[in-house]
Amino acid sequence: MGICNLQQSSQQAEDALSQGMEALQQTLADTLASAATAVGGADNVTNYMGQMAIAMAKLSTLENFLRQADLLRQQTLQQMHRILTTRQAARALLVISDYFSRLRALSSLWLARPRDTSGRT
């Protein structure tokens, strides 16, 4: 029951962070796009510099989102440590290790796959 509650609360927090990051990334892309169109003339240089300052501030906000995500992962692991027994935690780590090993193998196979050079999809 504790793991289910932890999963649900972690998923809700992760979803909120993801939505915030997506919105921030969109506004950052919009800011950079408007800065890219401001070329030539003194007024445009001033506008460009202002847009770049806004973009840098938004990158700082993006960094804060990443820190919040790291904190969420850390808190989730700490709570799992309190919920699981030593044996359960050891089994979980073994399963996670196996999962990542299989994921790396699949990634290697994907990268080594033959490529169709005829231009067909």
Side-chain angles (χ1 to χ4, degrees):
M1 185 66 153
I3 292 291
C4 289
N5 291 337
L6 177 60
Q7 179 185 13
Q8 185 178 16
S9 65
S10 295
Q11 185 66 50
Q12 289 171 348
E14 185 180 331
D15 289 345
L17 281 172
S18 293
Q19 289 172 1
M21 279 188 63
E22 287 173 15
L24 180 63
Q25 287 172 336
Q26 183 59 49
T27 61
L28 180 58
D30 294 344
T31 299
L32 293 174
S34 73
T37 60
V39 178
D43 288 339
N44 286 339
V45 170
T46 303
N47 184 33
Y48 176 80
M49 295 302 287
Q51 294 294 332
M52 285 296 108
I54 292 169
M56 292 303 290
K58 289 180 181 181
L59 283 175
S60 175
T61 304
L62 183 61
E63 183 182 8
N64 288 335
F65 272 109
L66 294 175
R67 288 181 192 186
Q68 289 176 12
D70 284 342
L71 182 61
L72 175 61
R73 281 188 283 274
Q74 182 182 13
Q75 289 172 342
T76 301
L77 286 173
Q78 288 172 346
Q79 290 173 359
M80 282 188 66
H81 176 69
R82 289 185 206 114
I83 294 170
L84 298 177
T85 66
T86 302
R87 180 178 290 243
Q88 290 170 327
R91 289 190 65 185
L93 289 174
L94 289 172
V95 168
I96 291 168
S97 174
D98 183 54
Y99 169 78
F100 280 116
S101 175
R102 290 171 188 253
L103 191 59
R104 277 190 301 275
L106 181 60
S107 178
S108 295
L109 288 172
W110 177 257
L111 291 173
R113 77 189 184 287
R115 311 261 172 151
D116 183 11
T117 58
S118 66
R120 294 183 301 197
T121 54

